[in-house]
């Protein structure tokens, strides 16, 4: 009984009193948690210190001007590392000025009247952005003018350098953890021998350890720096922890070693968010230098042709099928006027002088940049076949690939084209040279109009040239080709119309008019052009000359004229050599292999065989179109997608990122996909997209289908990533999806209103009718009679 009462007495508090064994377990558990806590802090500290003290971990380094609190500028040596920006007075002796903690900073471009490029690092809440001590334990930095505590205003020497710094800072701000681990691993793999003498670090070189600090400048080991800088009071949660810290020092060191070991294992472990770099051997398309090329002569002589009597009869037979103003896109043309190559091939004539675009991408002055773009544009016209020739109309699904090698920059310009539609005939193309900083895309709708004695081939569409490091787009149109003398006179080909080249970002534009020869004009009036280069509405320069020979430019203010472009023999010899795909590696639908029989017949001057082979290709295309129509199938494009809102065609694997010399190694092409070989593993970023499937849209329809992800190598995954980023940046598509959602909501509201009205009608039909006008005319008459009777009775009995 006493035992039971005793148990009842303590029953209410027995849950609060634990046994000695359970108390010991909780204490040990707490010690383990605190030990793990200290180990994790030391691991993170060691990781950060490795990036600061390791001379091999450098994102970028160069001289920059920094504005002090007295609004004067000081030139300082800036070293960007993952998560921090170290500032020194000189790069040699390492006189430390300060360390900016980037994880607390925001970055923004700052307008300035002075030369160069200005940007600002700042804390949004106006707190300090500086670390307390330097990389070697310095408590006080070198003496310079006072610098602001919550922000830094920085100026680079040029716009390209400034934007390069901003890109690197954005990378260090948002991906500091990834950079730390990746670059530390890179530093361990490569034995970098530092030099005491450092040289200027190029922005495009992004040099690392051997241009920075020698090993003597960083004498402290990691544990010493940890004790001096990062041992804060938060390590000890209470007094007992601080007292017992010495007892656990050895075990902590062992734990730290294990943590380091496990961390290195984790970094080497394969993860779904990364893609391993592909092996050194790159599987790319084999290109061979073009053996023969026809340039043509300047002037009207190379653009005229005397038609034989046999061919005249073919023309008369053709003219009986057409009428003035008719579109000739569906008319089968005789083979004697065909140039033995495809229209997709002809569109590549503009890139034999792509090195002009490489120079323009490096040009700092926006006006000079526009002039170089106009010069490149004019350089694509002097290459022309002899006589009046028209290239083949591409077959639906036909593709063409080629490239040019730039010997000065050791880069390649790739050209990819595909016939994405046959009726109407639309050709899409994409040009890329990421290393030199430009790409170009567009689509051309070819139209032909017959006017009796003449016809015009109209190239409806536009090209968009983009300078990747600047984010500038130059939109340009094309002239039309005019052929006259079909019925009588000499058949002559000319270029006509007005083209525009505009850059919305800089405000510069150019207008070029291609003039047709007047009726009574002389030889000098053939192939004439005139143009203007403008900033807004202000005319800065005038262009005059001939599109196949010399063009002069006249400054509007000074009146000074000089040669702007002249395709002399020396210039033609310096044109970039073109390389085409090896014939054995070409697909059956690539231009050279597809038209090989027709081309061979034309070169052999066998018009009958050429006509027959051309008919075989065209008939096969018609048969394929009929089969797709019977099956209800839609044609699927191989390399291009069509924007559902704007209708523009975009290359599926477009990569518009600026070239990163630290990570990007080489750009190459395989099976129509332009890719980049990279050094480091690249994070895979996936972005959810809203998919809209209209009722009339088939599953595999060209322009709306999503290409399958390519998991073969890192460059392929990058292409998929960049394709997603390109689609996200197109706000027109987002607006289209939003508009579709709004329309769907409106339709739902209308359905709800109709349902409500139907319910009201049903309720009203089931309920008995209510006569709100219960007093009719007869009732009023009866009441009136009663009133009159009452008046009569009152009168009689009065």
């Amino acid at each position: 009984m006493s035992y039971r009462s005793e148990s009842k007495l303590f029953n209410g508090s027995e849950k609060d009193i634990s046994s000695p064994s359970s108390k010991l377990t909780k204490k040990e558990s707490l010690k383990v948690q605190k030990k793990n806590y200290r180990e994790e802090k030391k691991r993170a500290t060691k990781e950060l210190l490795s990036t600061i003290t390791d001379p091999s971990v450098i994102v970028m380094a160069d001289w920059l001007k920094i504005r002090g609190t007295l609004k004067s500028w000081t030139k300082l040596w800036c070293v960007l590392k993952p998560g921090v920006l170290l500032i020194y007075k000189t790069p040699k002796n390492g006189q430390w000025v300060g360390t900016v903690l980037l994880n607390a900073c925001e970055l923004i471009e700052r307008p300035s009247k002075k030369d160069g490029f200005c940007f600002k690092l700042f804390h949004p809440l106006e707190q300090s952005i500086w670390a307390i001590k330097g990389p070697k334990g310095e408590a006080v930095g070198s003496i310079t003018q006072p610098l602001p505590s919550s922000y830094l205003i920085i100026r680079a020497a040029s716009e390209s350098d400034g934007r390069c710094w901003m890109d690197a800072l954005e990378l260090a701000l948002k991906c500091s953890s990834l950079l730390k681990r990746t670059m530390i691993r890179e530093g361990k793999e490569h034995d970098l021998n530092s030099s005491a003498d450092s040289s200027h670090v190029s922005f495009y070189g992004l040099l690392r350890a051997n241009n920075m600090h020698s090993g003597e400048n960083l004498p402290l080991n990691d544990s010493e720096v940890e004790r001096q800088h990062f041992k804060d009071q938060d390590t000890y949660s209470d007094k007992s922890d601080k007292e017992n810290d010495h007892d656990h020092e050895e075990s902590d060191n062992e734990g730290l070693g294990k943590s380091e070991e496990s961390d290195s294992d984790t970094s080497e472990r394969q993860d779904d968010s990364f893609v391993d770099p592909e092996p050194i051997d790159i599987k790319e398309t084999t290109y061979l230098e073009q053996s023969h090329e026809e340039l043509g002569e300047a002037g009207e002589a190379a653009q005229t042709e005397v038609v034989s009597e046999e061919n005249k009869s073919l023309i008369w037979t053709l003219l009986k099928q057409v009428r003035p103003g008719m579109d000739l896109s569906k008319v089968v043309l005789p083979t004697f006027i065909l140039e033995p190559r495809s229209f997709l091939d002809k569109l590549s004539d503009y890139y034999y002088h792509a090195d002009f675009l490489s120079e323009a991408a490096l040009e700092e002055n926006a006006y000079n940049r526009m002039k170089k773009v106009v010069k490149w544009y004019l350089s694509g016209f002097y290459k022309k076949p002899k006589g009046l020739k028209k290239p083949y109309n591409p077959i639906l699904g036909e593709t063409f690939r080629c490239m040019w090698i730039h010997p000065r920059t050791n880069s390649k310009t790739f050209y990819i084209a595909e016939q994405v539609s046959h009726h109407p005939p639309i050709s899409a193309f994409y040009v890329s040279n990421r290393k030199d900083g430009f790409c170009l895309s567009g689509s051309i709708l070819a139209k032909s109009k017959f006017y009796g004695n003449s016809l015009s081939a109209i190239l409806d569409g536009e090209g968009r040239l983009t300078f990747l490091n600047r984010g500038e787009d130059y939109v340009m149109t094309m002239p039309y080709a005019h052929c006259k003398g079909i019925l009588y006179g000499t058949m002559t080909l000319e270029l006509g119309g007005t083209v525009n080249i505009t850059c919305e970002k800089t405000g510069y534009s150019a207008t070029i008019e291609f003039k047709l020869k007047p009726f009574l004009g002389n030889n000098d009036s053939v192939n004439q052009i005139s143009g203007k280069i403008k900033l807004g509405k202000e005319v800065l320069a005038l262009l005059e000359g001939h599109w196949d020979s010399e063009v002069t430019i006249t400054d509007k203010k000074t009146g000074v004229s000089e040669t702007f472009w002249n395709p002399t023999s020396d210039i033609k010899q310096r044109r970039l050599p073109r390389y085409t795909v090896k014939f054995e590696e070409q697909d059956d639908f690539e231009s050279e292999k597809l038209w090989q029989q027709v081309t061979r017949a034309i070169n052999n001057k066998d018009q009958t065989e050429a006509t027959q082979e051309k008919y075989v290709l065209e008939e096969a295309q018609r048969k394929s179109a009929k089969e797709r129509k019977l099956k209800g199938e839609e044609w699927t494009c191989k390399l291009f997608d069509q924007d559902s809102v704007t209708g523009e065609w975009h290359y599926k694997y477009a990569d518009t990122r600026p070239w990163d010399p630290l990570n990007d190694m080489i750009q190459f092409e395989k099976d129509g996909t332009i890719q980049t070989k990279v050094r480091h593993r690249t994070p895979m970023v996936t972005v959810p997209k809203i998919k809209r499937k209209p009722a009339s849209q088939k599953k595999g329809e060209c322009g709306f289908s999503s290409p399958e992800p390519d998991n073969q190598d890192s460059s392929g995954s990058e292409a998929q990533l960049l394709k997603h980023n390109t689609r996200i940046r197109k706000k027109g598509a987002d607006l289209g999806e939003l508009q579709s959602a709004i329309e769907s909501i409106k339709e739902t509201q209308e359905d709800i209103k109709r349902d409500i009205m139907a319910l009201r009608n049903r309720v009203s039909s089931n309920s008995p009718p209510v006569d709100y006008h219960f007093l009719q005319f007869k009732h009023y008459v009866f009441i009136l009679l009663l009133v009159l009777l009452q008046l009569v009775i009152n009168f009689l009995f009065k």
Side-chain angles (χ1 to χ4, degrees), residues 77 79 87-98 135-136 138 141-142 196 198 212-214 217-218:
W77 180 257
V79 180
I87 302 175
Y88 299 90
K89 288 187 71 174
T90 60
K92 292 186 178 181
N93 53 18
Q95 296 182 9
W96 175 74
V97 174
K136 295 193 295 183
E138 302 96 333
S142 300
S198 62
M212 278 305 301
H213 307 285
S214 64
N217 290 336
L218 303 169

Coordinates of all heavy atoms in Angstrom, one line a residue, residues 77 79 87-98 135-136 138 141-142 196 198 212-214 217-218:
W77 N 43.7 48.4 -57.9 CA 43.8 47.1 -58.5 C 42.7 46.2 -57.8 O 42.7 46.0 -56.6 CB 45.2 46.5 -58.3 CG 45.3 45.1 -58.8 CD1 45.3 43.9 -58.1 CD2 45.5 44.7 -60.2 NE1 45.5 42.9 -58.9 CE2 45.6 43.3 -60.2 CE3 45.6 45.4 -61.4 CZ2 45.8 42.6 -61.4 CZ3 45.8 44.7 -62.5 CH2 45.9 43.3 -62.5
V79 N 40.5 42.7 -57.6 CA 40.5 41.2 -57.8 C 39.2 40.6 -57.4 O 38.8 40.7 -56.2 CB 41.7 40.6 -57.0 CG1 41.7 39.1 -57.3 CG2 43.0 41.2 -57.3
I87 N 40.4 44.7 -53.0 CA 40.9 46.0 -53.6 C 42.3 46.2 -53.0 O 42.5 46.2 -51.8 CB 39.9 47.1 -53.3 CG1 38.5 46.8 -53.8 CG2 40.5 48.4 -53.9 CD1 37.5 47.8 -53.5
Y88 N 43.2 46.5 -54.0 CA 44.6 46.7 -53.6 C 45.1 48.0 -54.2 O 44.5 48.5 -55.3 CB 45.6 45.6 -54.0 CG 45.2 44.2 -53.4 CD1 44.4 43.4 -54.1 CD2 45.8 43.8 -52.3 CE1 44.1 42.1 -53.5 CE2 45.6 42.6 -51.7 CZ 44.7 41.7 -52.3 OH 44.4 40.5 -51.8
K89 N 46.2 48.6 -53.7 CA 46.8 49.8 -54.3 C 47.6 49.4 -55.5 O 47.6 50.1 -56.5 CB 47.6 50.5 -53.3 CG 46.8 51.2 -52.2 CD 47.7 52.1 -51.3 CE 48.2 53.3 -52.1 NZ 49.0 54.2 -51.2
T90 N 48.3 48.3 -55.4 CA 49.2 47.8 -56.5 C 49.0 46.3 -56.5 O 48.8 45.6 -55.5 CB 50.6 48.1 -56.3 OG1 51.1 47.6 -55.1 CG2 50.8 49.7 -56.2
P91 N 49.2 45.7 -57.7 CA 49.1 44.2 -57.8 C 50.4 43.5 -57.4 O 50.3 42.3 -57.1 CB 48.9 44.0 -59.3 CG 49.5 45.2 -60.0 CD 49.3 46.3 -59.0
K92 N 51.5 44.2 -57.3 CA 52.8 43.5 -57.0 C 52.9 43.2 -55.5 O 53.1 42.1 -55.1 CB 53.9 44.3 -57.5 CG 54.0 44.3 -59.0 CD 55.2 45.0 -59.5 CE 55.3 45.1 -61.0 NZ 56.5 45.7 -61.6
N93 N 53.0 44.2 -54.7 CA 53.2 44.0 -53.3 C 52.0 43.8 -52.4 O 52.1 43.6 -51.2 CB 54.0 45.2 -52.7 CG 53.3 46.6 -53.0 OD1 52.1 46.5 -53.3 ND2 54.0 47.7 -52.8
G94 N 50.8 43.8 -53.1 CA 49.6 43.4 -52.4 C 49.2 44.4 -51.3 O 48.9 43.9 -50.2
Q95 N 49.3 45.7 -51.4 CA 48.8 46.6 -50.4 C 47.3 46.6 -50.4 O 46.7 47.2 -51.2 CB 49.4 48.0 -50.7 CG 50.9 48.1 -50.6 CD 51.4 49.5 -50.9 OE1 50.6 50.4 -50.9 NE2 52.7 49.6 -51.0
W96 N 46.8 45.9 -49.4 CA 45.3 45.7 -49.3 C 44.6 47.0 -48.9 O 45.1 47.7 -47.9 CB 45.1 44.6 -48.2 CG 43.6 44.4 -48.0 CD1 42.7 43.8 -48.7 CD2 42.9 44.8 -46.8 NE1 41.5 43.8 -48.2 CE2 41.6 44.4 -46.9 CE3 43.3 45.4 -45.6 CZ2 40.6 44.6 -46.0 CZ3 42.3 45.6 -44.6 CH2 41.0 45.2 -44.8
V97 N 43.6 47.3 -49.6 CA 42.8 48.5 -49.2 C 41.5 48.1 -48.5 O 41.1 48.7 -47.5 CB 42.5 49.3 -50.5 CG1 41.5 50.5 -50.2 CG2 43.7 49.8 -51.1
G98 N 40.8 47.1 -49.1 CA 39.5 46.7 -48.5 C 39.0 45.4 -49.2 O 39.4 45.1 -50.3
P135 N 42.8 39.8 -46.1 CA 43.1 38.4 -46.4 C 44.2 37.8 -45.6 O 44.4 36.6 -45.4 CB 43.3 38.3 -47.9 CG 43.7 39.7 -48.3 CD 42.9 40.6 -47.3
K136 N 45.1 38.7 -45.1 CA 46.3 38.3 -44.3 C 46.1 38.8 -42.9 O 47.1 38.8 -42.2 CB 47.6 38.8 -45.0 CG 47.9 38.3 -46.3 CD 49.3 38.6 -46.8 CE 49.5 40.1 -47.0 NZ 50.9 40.3 -47.5
E138 N 44.9 41.8 -41.9 CA 45.1 43.2 -41.8 C 43.9 43.8 -41.1 O 42.8 43.6 -41.5 CB 45.3 43.9 -43.1 CG 46.5 43.4 -43.9 CD 46.1 42.3 -44.9 OE1 45.1 41.7 -44.7 OE2 46.8 42.2 -45.9
G141 N 43.6 49.0 -43.6 CA 44.0 48.9 -45.0 C 45.0 50.0 -45.3 O 45.3 50.9 -44.5
S142 N 45.6 49.9 -46.5 CA 46.5 51.0 -47.0 C 45.8 52.3 -47.1 O 44.6 52.4 -47.3 CB 47.1 50.6 -48.3 OG 47.8 49.3 -48.2
A196 N 56.4 36.2 -59.0 CA 56.4 37.4 -58.2 C 56.1 38.7 -59.0 O 55.5 39.6 -58.5 CB 57.8 37.6 -57.6
S198 N 53.8 40.5 -61.7 CA 52.5 40.3 -62.3 C 52.4 41.3 -63.4 O 52.9 42.4 -63.4 CB 51.4 40.5 -61.3 OG 51.4 41.8 -60.8
M212 N 48.8 37.1 -60.5 CA 48.3 37.7 -59.3 C 49.4 37.8 -58.2 O 50.3 38.5 -58.3 CB 47.0 37.0 -58.7 CG 45.8 37.5 -59.5 SD 45.6 39.3 -59.4 CE 45.5 39.4 -57.6
H213 N 49.2 37.0 -57.1 CA 50.1 37.1 -56.0 C 51.0 35.9 -55.9 O 50.7 34.8 -56.2 CB 49.3 37.2 -54.7 CG 48.2 38.3 -54.8 ND1 48.5 39.6 -54.6 CD2 46.9 38.2 -55.0 CE1 47.4 40.3 -54.7 NE2 46.4 39.5 -54.9
S214 N 52.2 36.2 -55.4 CA 53.1 35.1 -55.1 C 52.7 34.4 -53.8 O 52.0 34.9 -53.0 CB 54.5 35.6 -55.1 OG 54.7 36.5 -54.0
N217 N 53.1 36.3 -50.4 CA 52.2 37.2 -49.9 C 51.1 36.7 -49.0 O 50.4 37.4 -48.4 CB 51.5 37.9 -51.1 CG 52.4 38.8 -51.9 OD1 53.4 39.2 -51.4 ND2 52.2 38.9 -53.2
L218 N 51.0 35.3 -49.0 CA 49.9 34.7 -48.2 C 50.5 33.7 -47.3 O 50.4 32.5 -47.4 CB 48.9 34.0 -49.1 CG 48.2 35.0 -50.1 CD1 47.5 34.2 -51.2 CD2 47.3 36.0 -49.5

